[in-house]
Amino acid sequence: MSVKVLAVLASGSGSNLEAIAQAIHDGKLKAKIAVVIYNEPDAFARQRAEKFGIPAILVNHRDYKSRKALDLAIIDILKQYNVELVIMAGWMRIVTQVLIDAFPERILNIHPSLLPSFKGIHAIEQAFNYGVKITGCTVHLLSLEVDSGKILKQAAVPVLPEDSLADLQKRIQVQEHIIYPEAIAEYISTF
């Protein structure tokens, strides 16, 4: 199996980016992150990319008149780097069909709930406030409908009686860092 070329799209701290890069470094994931694209100028994901020697490119969504224009700019970068699989790791932008069509069934996303429950933003808070006893995280293929693509891998996380929202967020993030590299490895073995 050849090494697959990945790109990571991130908007925030990039902790999942780091988990994926570390899995590659440790030989657990046979892939290469060719580029990190981030949309928030102060995103810590840029520093995490630099730590691993990965080029990081700012594509600030505020500089584009539409989501389609943003996605076209992203596609241009992805093609320049010969990307085979796009990994969304805290990418807080809704994408258009243009990006999905450019990488059909080649865009993965992670969401902090057991989909199909608690789609969209603030998923952990939604689950916590609803009073669920088990929540977790899901790696799925990206689709036009938010958090609705084919589920590839999930991890369940119990909600403990003494949990604060912050406690629950931390435990879910630990599981994200485990299952995302695993899901990527499993998925790339299929193509």
Side-chain angles (χ1 to χ4, degrees):
M1 180 176 72
S2 63
V3 172
K4 300 298 182 191
V5 180
L6 313 180
V8 175
L9 277 57
S11 296
S13 77
S15 66
N16 275 303
L17 158 64
E18 183 158 351
I20 295 162
Q22 191 64 52
I24 292 168
H25 177 77
D26 295 344
K28 296 177 181 173
L29 174 56
K30 194 170 184 176
K32 173 190 175 190
I33 301 173
V35 64
V36 170
I37 297 172
Y38 63 104
N39 69 307
E40 292 290 348
D42 60 349
F44 194 70
R46 179 181 61 81
Q47 287 92 325
R48 291 188 200 260
E50 288 172 358
K51 173 182 168 182
F52 286 92
I54 303 166
I57 299 173
L58 173 63
V59 181
N60 190 331
H61 61 276
R62 295 167 192 88
D63 296 338
Y64 297 88
K65 293 183 188 234
S66 68
R67 288 181 176 161
K68 181 179 177 183
L70 173 68
D71 284 354
L72 287 169
I74 291 167
I75 292 166
D76 284 345
I77 295 167
L78 298 175
K79 288 184 177 178
Q80 288 171 29
Y81 284 89
N82 299 310
V83 170
E84 297 172 274
L85 188 65
V86 179
I87 307 300
M88 295 194 160
W91 182 251
M92 301 305 291
R93 305 299 306 162
I94 294 174
V95 304
T96 65
Q97 193 66 46
V98 171
L99 183 58
I100 293 169
D101 288 346
F103 292 88
E105 296 190 1
R106 294 287 185 264
I107 306 173
L108 274 57
N109 189 34
I110 191 153
H111 184 72
S113 79
L114 292 175
L115 291 175
S117 297
F118 307 112
K119 296 177 182 181
I121 62 171
H122 308 300
I124 299 171
E125 188 175 349
Q126 288 179 57
F128 187 79
N129 290 340
Y130 199 79
V132 298
K133 303 303 177 204
I134 298 173
T135 186
C137 49
T138 304
V139 178
H140 64 95
L141 289 176
L142 193 75
S143 66
L144 196 56
E145 186 181 339
V146 173
D147 299 324
S148 296
K150 179 182 174 188
I151 293 171
L152 302 177
K153 195 170 190 82
Q154 293 183 306
V157 175
V159 181
L160 305 176
E162 66 275 11
D163 269 345
S164 68
L165 182 59
D167 294 334
L168 183 58
Q169 287 172 327
K170 287 176 189 167
R171 286 206 325 284
I172 289 172
Q173 193 169 58
V174 166
Q175 292 305 310
E176 288 180 2
H177 297 166
I178 294 168
I179 72 165
Y180 212 177
E182 290 175 353
I184 295 165
E186 290 166 12
Y187 194 68
I188 63 177
S189 72
T190 66
F191 67 92

